[in-house]
Amino acid sequence: MQFQWWCAAQTAAWEWTWRPYPGVWIFIAALAFGYWALLRRARRVTGETVGGARVASAVAGLLTLWLALDWPIGALGAGYLASVHMVQFLLIGMIAPPLLLWGLPPAGLRVWLDGGASDSPGTSSPIGAGLPDDVVGYPGGVGFPGDTVAATAGVTASPGAAGATASQGAAARGATTPRAPRLLRLARVLRVVTHPLVALFVFNAIVGATHTPAVNDILMVTQLGSFAIDIAWLVGGLIFWWPVAAAAPARPSFHPLLKIGYLTALAIAMTPVFLYLTFSDHPVYAVYELAPRVNGIDAHADQRVAGLIMKVVGGFILMGVLSVLFFRWATRAGDDMTALQTAKAGAAETAEPVMR
Amino acid sequence: MSKLHRAALVLALLGLGLAGCGAGPRDQAPADQEWRGMVLPQPIPKPDFVLTDTDGKPFDFRAETDGYLTLLFFGYTYCPDVCPVHMANLAYVISGLPRHLQNQIKVVFVSVDPERDTPERIREWLDAFDRRFIGLRGTKEETDAVLRELKLPTPVFEEPDEKGYYLVGHPSTIVAFTPDNQAPVLYPFGTRQADWAYDLPRLLEIRPPIRVSRAYAAVPATGDRTSLYLTIENNSDEDDALVVVSTDVAERVELHRQVSSGGMMRMERVAEIEVPAGGTATLQPGGLHIMLLDLRRPLAAGDELGIDLTFRNAGRVRARAEVRPYAELEGLLGDEARGAAAGAVGPASRARAGAGTPPSGGR
């Protein structure tokens, strides 16, 4: 077999012999380093210490990516089995992104996003502005226990502000540090592309395009092309999952019921790809049909399994998230109702004349 | 709704639409594309060779595959890529065709690596794809001779590795012989299932205007004459007739029919045997037959003889006949004739009594 830095289709027969893909290691290492740097920066800027659960989520996301891209899944999916290719898609586009997004530092993200919404770099940003509940949680939120944030809702992070502690002062100094316009522009772009409707479009366009036989067959035979598909899935997945799973939402007004509709729309949008793969009369991807067989698995059966994996496993992922969102929303709505009734009862008690 | 919201909604709807409209499968071929395979400028005639099948019996390729769509492939069972993909794709597509079309296709795999490919191994390997696939092997010289006749490259053997495993470079092309025993199209590696599904039924339609099959001569009861039986299919759109038969084993050849007259059976010479358009003429004991007269050499059971049949429209058609004892032929052709008659399309054949000198042939 020819040496490859990234998994791509090969004409050689499949062998269950480990092979190195250094490009994958470098990519995962770069992401891990980027995450570590982000945590450090968030701590410096906001004084935020990200909880262990978030770090574990991000690490799980990175491990999921590694699993999907490296041998054997990466190699099998790149050039031998459409079913494994579909597993790769689910790992890269549907599982890793929410885990990574959950793992981001919420306060740091909020500072960046709010700064990105502003046209005045260098001015102090109201940390926590727009966060109705707390910095780490939002309606239907994803707060993890253990997150500590220097600035809390309602505290303006400017030096010497009332209520700010010494450590918060350090955080505030960071918050007012002028940031590069490039980052601001990126934040603005992020706010636009993570608009739920835009995100839905982008992800579905990527899913549709990368599963088109002509595109897949052209790209999967080169390492650069295969890399492009993997990155497209990851970026598309991050964009799609941002409104649902980001540690700090770009748009806090995205109601949990709308999120449920959003995820349902994805499930519907993926159905044509599932139908196409599962019910085609013949294999649609030349790269898998003409690949040396792995353990005698028939190309057409393999493609049908790919379609079923997309529908069934993808459906389970979406249903799982949908269920969590729904029950959180229902619980929160129930709590709010109880609080409202308690408040009303209290108010009534106060207003009611004492009859003795 | 803000402008951003409206734009985003439009984008999302477009995205949903895009996800649903992948490129269609390739079996919707452009109308002007006649074949998915590689069309040859000059069709290759079916080669005449005998190799050994997986039961250890001689396999006469031309005779055994006559009239079938025959897909001939040269490979080896240890092949890691091309051979299993070709076989798997063919097996899948053929199994999806209607049964009557499946029965008109023969896939013949010839091993280019007889050292490792034992008959048992070839059989086991082919059975993983389709039990009907035919496996053949011969000596390297025999296989190379066939490859050269087909103008295909002969195999190249790589040096074995430390485990003794070696790769063999071999033609990756499947040669498709249509029922008229010509190969107008080749199918190189890269031929997809959709391509086969598109081409196979159309390859089956290429039939010779006249096809002669089930040709048998009886072991002569007397030393100088015998009868010849065969089946003629007219695949053309116009009526035709067998007018002359010749063979190098007989001085004279006549067309006859057996008729009953006054409780007696007698033979009557006919000028020609008509084969209606789309119909079949069955020459069998007790009916129409060909008489080989003044035999030039004795004929024994198992012998083969070449015959030339000349038709009014289709011209000359060559065939081979096997010599069998008459008693055996009565049962064999009686059953086959009944089967052929049951499956025959179109009107039955007729003989026309000759006026004047009946045509005959001989060499």
Side-chain angles (χ1 to χ4, degrees):
Chain A
M1 272 194 187
Q2 188 190 345
F3 173 78
Q4 293 185 327
W5 58 272
W6 199 268
C7 303
Q10 295 202 58
T11 52
W14 170 256
E15 289 172 12
W16 287 102
T17 309
W18 177 82
R19 295 180 58 76
Y21 291 97
V24 173
W25 305 341
I26 293 168
F27 179 68
I28 298 295
L31 284 181
F33 177 77
Y35 180 66
W36 174 76
L38 202 66
L39 292 185
R40 279 195 63 189
R41 185 176 172 81
R43 189 170 197 167
R44 189 161 50 82
V45 172
T46 65
E48 179 186 28
T49 304
V50 174
R54 281 194 191 281
V55 174
S57 175
V59 170
L62 288 173
L63 289 175
T64 303
L65 270 184
W66 189 14
L67 180 74
L69 297 172
D70 208 342
W71 191 93
I73 292 180
L76 275 171
Y80 295 93
L81 293 171
S83 52
V84 180
H85 187 65
M86 189 57 75
V87 169
Q88 266 192 301
F89 163 69
L90 293 177
L91 291 172
I92 297 170
M94 299 286 282
I95 296 177
L99 290 172
L100 291 172
L101 290 170
W102 268 322
L104 293 177
L109 210 56
R110 168 55 53 205
V111 167
W112 176 50
L113 282 170
D114 285 350
S118 160
D119 286 324
S120 51
T123 58
S124 62
S125 300
I127 297 174
L131 294 175
D133 305 317
D134 53 49
V135 175
V136 295
Y138 56 97
V142 285
F144 284 109
D147 289 340
T148 60
V149 185
T152 54
V155 175
T156 303
S158 51
T165 63
S167 64
Q168 286 167 339
R173 278 193 297 281
T176 57
T177 305
R179 276 166 293 140
R182 194 178 63 237
L183 278 177
L184 288 174
R185 278 201 297 274
L186 187 63
R188 270 195 293 256
V189 169
L190 191 72
R191 287 178 68 84
V192 173
V193 297
T194 58
H195 184 288
L197 291 177
V198 178
L200 192 60
F201 167 78
V202 170
F203 190 52
N204 279 301
I206 288 172
V207 171
T210 54
H211 286 93
T212 301
V215 174
N216 189 79
D217 288 343
I218 287 172
L219 292 182
M220 291 311 291
V221 294
T222 66
Q223 295 173 74
L224 209 56
S226 175
F227 174 75
I229 283 189
D230 293 336
I231 295 301
W233 285 347
L234 180 61
V235 171
L238 288 170
I239 289 171
F240 175 78
W241 284 100
W242 191 288
V244 178
R251 296 171 187 281
S253 62
F254 196 31
H255 192 274
L257 285 181
L258 287 175
K259 286 180 189 171
I260 290 171
Y262 177 70
L263 294 179
T264 307
L266 177 67
I268 295 167
M270 290 203 306
T271 302
V273 178
F274 150 73
L275 292 173
Y276 180 53
L277 294 180
T278 310
F279 297 108
S280 283
D281 289 338
H282 305 291
V284 296
Y285 302 118
V287 72
Y288 301 114
E289 184 184 345
L290 301 174
R293 302 265 59 88
V294 178
N295 296 351
I297 299 172
D298 169 67
H300 198 233
D302 171 48
Q303 181 179 289
R304 286 182 169 173
V305 171
L308 289 172
I309 286 174
M310 182 183 219
K311 193 65 183 167
V312 176
V313 182
F316 270 120
I317 294 168
L318 290 173
M319 284 304 294
V321 179
L322 276 174
S323 305
V324 169
L325 287 173
F326 178 78
F327 285 114
R328 282 195 174 191
W329 169 75
T331 307
R332 189 175 288 250
D335 291 348
D336 290 350
M337 188 62 76
T338 308
L340 187 65
Q341 283 171 347
T342 308
K344 273 184 179 172
E349 198 172 303
T350 312
E352 195 177 319
V354 180
M355 303 291 287
R356 292 183 191 275
Chain B
M1 191 184 271
S2 69
K3 278 184 181 175
L4 178 63
H5 277 90
R6 274 199 297 273
L9 181 63
V10 170
L11 282 174
L13 290 173
L14 281 171
L16 296 182
L18 183 64
C21 58
R26 290 182 63 207
D27 32 9
Q28 281 92 47
D32 58 345
Q33 190 182 340
E34 198 179 352
W35 298 105
R36 296 286 183 84
M38 206 166 72
V39 178
L40 291 166
Q42 194 69 34
I44 304 173
K46 187 181 271 183
D48 203 353
F49 63 85
V50 178
L51 293 174
T52 308
D53 68 14
T54 49
D55 292 329
K57 292 176 183 165
F59 186 91
D60 184 330
F61 178 72
R62 196 178 166 97
E64 297 277 0
T65 61
D66 184 44
Y68 288 87
L69 169 58
T70 308
L71 304 167
L72 177 64
F73 179 59
F74 296 84
Y76 65 116
T77 64
Y78 286 86
C79 178
D81 38 43
V82 173
C83 304
V85 171
H86 258 327
M87 292 293 110
N89 283 349
L90 267 181
Y92 188 85
V93 175
I94 291 172
S95 68
L97 292 173
R99 180 66 69 181
H100 73 280
L101 294 183
Q102 289 184 36
N103 292 338
Q104 296 173 44
I105 300 174
K106 285 191 176 180
V107 175
V108 179
F109 170 86
V110 178
S111 171
V112 295
D113 185 19
E115 285 283 311
R116 287 185 294 181
D117 285 346
T118 61
E120 295 77 22
R121 181 173 168 85
I122 295 173
R123 189 67 267 151
E124 188 184 348
W125 187 77
L126 288 174
D127 284 352
F129 304 107
D130 192 321
R131 291 180 173 277
R132 294 168 298 184
F133 285 6
I134 296 160
L136 301 180
R137 68 193 284 275
T139 63
K140 186 178 180 315
E141 291 70 30
E142 287 171 332
T143 311
D144 285 359
V146 180
L147 285 166
R148 274 193 291 272
E149 187 178 344
L150 291 167
K151 295 185 172 55
L152 292 174
T154 52
V156 178
F157 293 79
E158 283 190 0
E159 284 299 314
D161 63 14
E162 63 277 4
K163 292 176 187 167
Y165 178 78
Y166 56 88
L167 292 170
V168 183
H170 63 94
S172 61
T173 299
I174 292 180
V175 188
F177 292 99
T178 46
D180 64 349
N181 294 330
Q182 300 285 319
V185 197
L186 299 179
Y187 292 88
F189 184 68
T191 303
R192 311 270 309 269
Q193 288 185 13
D195 300 325
W196 284 118
Y198 182 78
D199 274 5
L200 285 181
R202 297 163 70 246
L203 286 168
L204 279 163
E205 287 171 9
I206 301 179
R207 298 191 156 275
I210 292 287
R211 178 169 174 254
V212 176
S213 61
R214 300 188 190 101
Y216 299 103
V219 174
T222 61
D224 67 339
R225 62 175 55 194
T226 190
S227 48
L228 179 67
Y229 308 101
L230 45 82
T231 302
I232 304 164
E233 290 169 46
N234 181 358
N235 299 310
S236 72
D237 295 332
E238 54 183 9
D239 295 345
D240 210 334
L242 174 65
V243 289
V244 176
V245 180
S246 64
T247 173
D248 56 0
V249 300
E251 287 290 339
R252 291 185 299 127
V253 181
E254 294 177 359
L255 305 177
H256 283 198
R257 72 176 164 197
Q258 199 164 331
V259 290
S260 175
S261 173
M264 295 287 289
M265 300 297 288
R266 64 181 179 82
M267 285 210 283
E268 183 179 282
R269 195 172 175 189
V270 294
E272 58 184 31
I273 295 171
E274 289 184 12
V275 193
T280 303
T282 306
L283 282 61
Q284 59 186 316
L288 289 165
H289 59 274
I290 298 164
M291 284 304 296
L292 308 182
L293 305 167
D294 302 331
L295 294 174
R296 292 181 175 132
R297 62 177 170 88
L299 295 176
D303 284 356
E304 280 203 349
L305 48 113
I307 45 175
D308 283 349
L309 302 102
T310 304
F311 291 84
R312 194 197 307 138
N313 297 324
R316 200 173 75 160
V317 175
R318 306 189 80 172
R320 296 179 76 83
E322 188 184 342
V323 180
R324 297 261 191 118
Y326 186 81
E328 200 178 302
L329 287 180
E330 268 192 316
L332 181 73
L333 290 174
D335 292 343
E336 287 190 359
R338 278 189 289 276
V345 179
S349 61
R350 289 181 295 142
R352 211 177 66 185
T357 310
S360 64
R363 268 183 236 166

